[in-house]
Amino acid sequence: MSKTIDRTTKPAPVTAVSASVPLRYRAALFGLVGVVVAAWGSWTPSLWGDEATSLMSAERPLPSLFTMLRHVDAVHGTYYFLLHWWVAVFGPSPFSIRFPSAIAVGLTVAAVVVVATRLGSARLGVIAGIVCCLLPRVTYMGEEARSFALSAAIVSWLTVLLLELLRREQAPTRLWVAYGVLFAAGIYVFLYVALFALVHAVILVNARAPRATLVRWATTVGVAAVAAVPIVVFAILERRQISYLATHDQLSPDTVFSSLWFGAPWFAAAAWALIVVALVDAFRRRARQTTASVDAGLNETTRAPSLVSVASAWLFLPTLVLVLGSAAIPAFTARYVSFCAPAAALLIACGIDALSRGRRWIDVVALVALAGLAAPIWFAQRTPYAKNDSDWAVISSVIGSHAVAGDAVVFDESAHPSKKPRLAMHAYPAGFANTRDATLDVPYTANNGWADRAYTVAKAASLGRFDGIRRVWLIEYALGKPDTYGTGDLERIGFEERGAVIHTHRSLIVEFTR
């Protein structure tokens, strides 16, 4: 009984550099490039609602954080806990809290290089590493203080471990333990990492893994699933916090075509074209290899999984499950499939490889073209208002340059929770150092939820919060049009609108004096 090895992409001649540099160093080099590409300019965009939640949760004392997680955001608790210690060491600046995501992108890129090299060639590993560094979803999640980049790194290395377990006939117990621990940890970081049980099951079946391997894999995944039961229970108990997704169209054609991984239609068109080329080429190769095996009378028992089959399962299965599931239970947004972005990079690389057939000049032209298409998206991601039009950094700067000691601030509390101007004070506290928060009821650190609780202006006035205050800065979420939140109440307690009226990107800052 003979074995045949199935590879969707045949090894091609490699450059002298890629052939001579050991894989671990090559992966580390591309990982470092990924960190730089993701981190560069990440200090420019203003923090936005989700990132403010990460920052405020990380800055809580641990007892306060654990209290909050019993009521909301337990599914992000592991990330907040890790970020808590990071902030304790490196501080809470926008660049600091986003940098762990850039590191996670570096780990993701390194894993992509390893997968592409082991299932393809050193040359294909280089192409995949470059594509992953350029991919808009990757560069976006690498500059955002959320758990999506970390989840991508975890599933990427989880896949590397799976391939190593499949490659070895008698894999050591430590590798199985590492796989199980990483799987369970991934679910705690991002709940939908659990979907990779399905992805990896398909990979193993497609590779015709030995029965003993399948049994051991299933046992390992089962133990990891049992270890993750607490976070699943909390997710069910706190499911109401994502109920707002039911009121948003998260599955528009533009979202599916562009927003999941590619950022803009022009990049998406090129990316999908290359993915189709990769899939068609893989189908043709597989058909020829199957025919050859039948003609030769070979009986296939175990085969190495092809790169295209691995990447296809990785890209499409979690996405399909989440999209179809959202039809019954609305719980989908484009960022939820960020951990599939590395698979998109692998398939795009396979598409380039299929077109070039080893001709390096075609590789270079294709990669330069992709870089040209990605560049405008990368720059757009790093503009001051790139994050959901947030202008909190500007608000803080304006208040810091105009307010004096003893002034009070009043925030528009009618805005959506993630867009409230009050969050500017927590995201960029320096500008508010000399001011008094006149309407604060319960600070977030003493609250069961993630945000402050605030009084209305009228209630705060009845409690004497404006006694002795001569000037108030009213900060409204305006979206380019006048807003009247708190204006009438301030006038009724003796304040008049006079002096500065400052329009920022989406907010209005109005000076009131007695």
Side-chain angles (χ1 to χ4, degrees), residues 74-293:
V75 292
H76 300 298
T78 300
Y79 175 73
Y80 295 158
F81 181 77
L82 296 173
L83 192 61
H84 171 88
W85 297 108
W86 177 274
V87 167
V89 176
F90 298 105
S93 72
F95 174 76
S96 172
I97 66 170
R98 287 167 172 162
F99 193 67
S101 293
I103 295 173
V105 161
L107 292 171
T108 301
V109 172
V112 163
V113 172
V114 172
V115 171
T117 301
R118 288 184 175 174
L119 296 183
S121 66
R123 172 181 147 274
L124 191 53
V126 169
I127 296 172
I130 294 172
V131 173
C132 196
C133 288
L134 297 175
L135 205 65
R137 175 56 64 185
V138 172
T139 58
Y140 180 87
M141 68 186 182
E143 57 142 13
E144 183 171 58
R146 297 298 280 175
S147 62
F148 300 111
L150 182 56
S151 70
I154 288 173
V155 301
S156 298
W157 283 100
L158 198 64
T159 303
V160 171
L161 275 175
L162 180 76
L163 296 176
E164 184 65 17
L165 290 168
L166 188 59
R167 186 179 69 86
R168 301 192 186 193
E169 292 184 2
Q170 296 292 331
T173 300
R174 59 183 173 81
L175 284 183
W176 286 105
V177 171
Y179 182 89
V181 169
L182 189 59
F183 204 117
I187 297 172
Y188 275 91
V189 168
F190 184 55
L191 188 64
Y192 292 147
V193 167
L195 293 173
F196 275 75
L198 173 62
V199 175
H200 287 183
V202 169
I203 292 172
L204 289 170
V205 171
N206 184 60
R208 299 183 182 178
R211 180 181 177 84
T213 300
L214 291 174
V215 170
R216 199 165 187 185
W217 174 83
T219 302
T220 303
V221 170
V223 172
V226 170
V229 164
I231 194 63
V232 175
V233 171
F234 273 108
I236 294 172
L237 294 175
E238 298 177 5
R239 64 189 181 278
R240 290 180 179 271
Q241 74 179 85
I242 60 170
S243 60
Y244 74 93
L245 291 175
T247 64
H248 293 71
D249 183 10
Q250 301 290 335
L251 288 172
S252 66
D254 179 66
T255 297
V256 175
F257 182 72
S258 301
S259 300
L260 297 184
W261 306 294
F262 306 130
W266 59 85
F267 191 96
W272 282 117
L274 289 168
I275 289 173
V276 169
V277 168
L279 295 175
V280 171
D281 182 69
F283 178 80
R284 289 176 176 174
R285 287 175 181 268
R286 182 61 189 150
R288 287 196 298 267
Q289 290 169 351
T290 300
T291 301
S293 297

Side-chain angles (χ1 to χ4, degrees), residues 371-433:
L373 294 173
I377 305 170
W378 184 91
F379 282 107
Q381 291 171 347
R382 285 150 179 80
T383 55
Y385 310 119
K387 300 286 188 180
N388 206 27
D389 288 325
S390 176
D391 59 359
W392 296 339
V394 175
I395 290 174
S396 177
S397 177
V398 169
I399 295 298
S401 61
H402 288 78
V404 298
D407 286 0
V409 287
V410 170
F411 300 99
D412 183 352
E413 303 294 345
S414 66
H416 186 278
S418 67
K419 297 179 179 179
K420 288 185 177 182
R422 167 176 293 280
L423 297 175
M425 181 172 57
H426 300 301
Y428 298 92
F432 297 88

